[in-house]
Amino acid sequence: IAALSWKTFESRVRQDLTGSRLMVKKLHLVYHLAPTSIGGYAHDALQRLIQQHIETLLHLQQQLSTIETALLACFHTLPTAPYLLSLGLGEITTALIAAELGDLGRFRHPKQLVKLAGIQPTPNQSGFYERDATPMSQKGRPRLRTYLFFGVMRLVRWDVAFKAKKLAFVNRSQNPLKPIEAIGALMNKLLHLLWAVSRNETAYSPERFMAG
């Protein structure tokens, strides 16, 4: 690396880049550390260990790709898949949420989904002492909460309606929410939307969501 120019090193890294984004700052750090770092010799034990880790990583990536392909193939057999995908969460996230929720037709009200995820508000008290904050119960499915959290983070960034809803929660005059609390409230609303588009067999509309 030390013998290469920065442009040559960067171009070679980009050729083998498998992700969607290159961490240029970290790559710069690697490049500047290279002249003063100590590399492994040929046939060195450390070099063999690194190669073993690389092979293990490539194997795990291949397994993950196989599982994702099977997951998406199963997800797209659902008649409600197009409506769920209309929310813009991405195929993998939507499929994972659908796998955790199961058949949405068995739920009579979206509040049941909220309880299943464990994001319903619950009193935070001990004896006679009760705090003002009302956290999530976290008694439901932790993986579902994780998928919902990252799904909402994506929507807040790219969907104008979710972005506006978050700002409204944070900036309202009465009982404004902290940013992380606003995310929790939007996770609740996302479950309501998933239930609604599935039950009504209709695509998600940011305009209707903002109006609601």
Side-chain angles (χ1 to χ4, degrees):
I1 295 174
L4 301 174
S5 68
W6 161 249
K7 288 186 178 181
T8 302
F9 174 57
E10 182 188 17
S11 64
R12 290 189 181 183
V13 173
R14 288 188 183 277
Q15 287 177 2
D16 294 329
L17 181 65
T18 57
S20 59
R21 181 183 176 188
L22 177 64
M23 307 296 287
V24 179
K25 289 185 178 180
K26 291 187 177 181
L27 193 64
H28 261 292
L29 180 60
V30 171
Y31 180 75
H32 289 299
L33 288 175
T36 57
S37 64
I38 301 174
Y41 295 101
H43 308 296
D44 186 49
L46 180 59
Q47 188 177 18
R48 291 180 181 274
L49 182 61
I50 292 174
Q51 183 63 36
Q52 182 181 4
H53 286 316
I54 292 175
E55 291 174 358
T56 301
L57 176 61
L58 293 175
H59 178 64
L60 292 174
Q61 288 176 336
Q62 183 179 8
Q63 285 186 323
L64 178 61
S65 178
T66 301
I67 293 172
E68 287 180 348
T69 300
L71 174 67
L72 292 178
C74 181
F75 170 69
H76 282 289
T77 62
L78 300 177
T80 57
Y83 311 119
L84 299 176
L85 287 171
S86 68
L87 277 90
L89 296 170
E91 281 190 317
I92 295 296
T93 301
T94 306
L96 289 171
I97 291 175
E100 285 291 325
L101 292 176
D103 181 13
L104 289 172
R106 62 194 175 96
F107 298 100
R108 296 182 179 180
H109 196 278
K111 288 183 178 180
Q112 294 174 290
L113 302 181
V114 174
K115 187 176 182 179
L116 179 68
I119 59 176
Q120 75 274 23
T122 183
N124 189 1
Q125 59 183 13
S126 177
F128 295 102
Y129 175 74
E130 182 173 352
R131 296 180 60 184
D132 294 334
T134 307
M136 298 179 182
S137 73
Q138 297 189 9
K139 293 182 179 179
R141 300 184 177 181
R143 286 184 302 210
L144 178 56
R145 289 196 300 274
T146 300
Y147 304 148
L148 291 170
F149 175 81
F150 286 107
V152 166
M153 293 298 290
R154 174 189 175 96
L155 292 174
V156 166
R157 183 175 181 182
W158 300 110
D159 186 277
V160 293
F162 269 81
K163 185 182 297 185
K165 286 285 186 180
K166 181 189 175 185
L167 291 175
F169 282 137
V170 173
N171 297 324
R172 64 189 184 186
S173 57
Q174 294 184 345
N175 299 323
L177 300 181
K178 297 178 182 178
I180 190 63
E181 293 174 336
I183 295 298
L186 288 174
M187 289 166 61
N188 189 317
K189 288 189 173 295
L190 176 56
L191 283 174
H192 280 68
L193 282 172
L194 290 167
W195 182 83
V197 298
S198 175
R199 182 180 180 87
N200 299 329
E201 297 185 348
T202 182
Y204 162 67
S205 169
E207 293 78 14
R208 288 203 299 268
F209 181 52
M210 290 182 68

